[in-house]
Amino acid sequence: KHNGASSMEFAAALNTLGALKSDAGQYIEAESLHRRSLKIRESLGDDHPELAQSLNSLGGVMKQQGKYSEAVALLSRSLCILEAALGPRHPGVATALNNLGRSLVDMNQPKDAHALYLRALNIQEQNLGTDHPDVAQTLNNIGLLQKDTGSLEDAKHFLSKALAI
């Protein structure tokens, strides 16, 4: 049993180990670890950024397993928490928007994903500058989405901007 601060440290360790398992393609193990972390972090309250981190991590693993509806639900909840805790213009919110956007692409919702990507790009450019690697990643996401939806000139524009960073 873990109590108090040590419980939160344990939750963080579970989350990190889950990320390592996910990186290794061990999604079942990663899911279990992230669910354990989430259960502990839920004691922090419904609006805590650490809860959002666990939701985001679990959402990523669900996406990797092709469980897109569950991924979108988890990532949406994470985004709501981060917007409330950090403000709607925080770079962490932009990361959450990108993560949710990628899952929406997988669910064949390109218009919704595109809107999230554009919002993320706006936040990143205002907070991080136009030459930041996170901006390049978002430009890449938009470019790939444009390619997948047949907007090849737009795809070329965004992918060229990403490569220039």
Side-chain angles (χ1 to χ4, degrees):
K1 276 288 194 203
H2 298 273
N3 298 313
S6 68
S7 179
M8 291 308 126
E9 291 168 4
F10 185 66
L14 288 169
N15 202 63
T16 301
L17 184 56
L20 292 172
K21 292 288 185 178
S22 182
D23 289 347
Q26 299 171 351
Y27 302 121
I28 302 297
E29 295 91 342
E31 179 183 347
S32 176
L33 292 162
H34 286 307
R35 287 193 187 280
R36 288 174 61 196
S37 175
L38 178 62
K39 186 169 178 61
I40 294 167
R41 286 178 167 172
E42 284 175 333
S43 70
L44 294 170
D46 290 339
D47 60 351
H48 199 282
E50 287 184 31
L51 176 62
Q53 181 188 34
S54 287
L55 291 164
N56 182 69
S57 296
L58 182 57
V61 171
M62 295 296 98
K63 178 188 179 306
Q64 291 295 331
Q65 294 180 80
K67 299 175 183 177
Y68 303 125
S69 293
E70 188 173 355
V72 166
L74 292 161
L75 295 169
S76 295
R77 186 173 165 209
S78 175
L79 174 61
C80 287
I81 292 168
L82 291 173
E83 286 177 320
L86 305 175
R89 310 283 315 150
H90 191 278
V93 169
T95 299
L97 289 164
N98 264 312
N99 292 342
L100 179 56
R102 282 192 289 272
S103 288
L104 290 173
V105 168
D106 292 333
M107 290 185 67
N108 198 28
Q109 296 179 23
K111 289 182 181 176
D112 294 334
H114 188 255
L116 295 179
Y117 289 157
L118 290 177
R119 185 171 161 222
L121 181 62
N122 183 271
I123 293 168
Q124 290 168 330
E125 287 180 338
Q126 286 188 358
N127 287 283
L128 306 172
T130 57
D131 291 335
H132 193 277
D134 289 354
V135 171
Q137 180 62 55
T138 301
L139 290 166
N140 185 68
N141 289 346
I142 296 169
L144 293 175
L145 178 61
Q146 295 295 345
K147 179 185 77 68
D148 291 345
T149 58
S151 300
L152 300 182
E153 284 303 314
D154 288 337
K156 181 180 174 184
H157 168 76
F158 286 103
L159 292 171
S160 295
K161 283 181 72 173
L163 287 172
I165 294 178

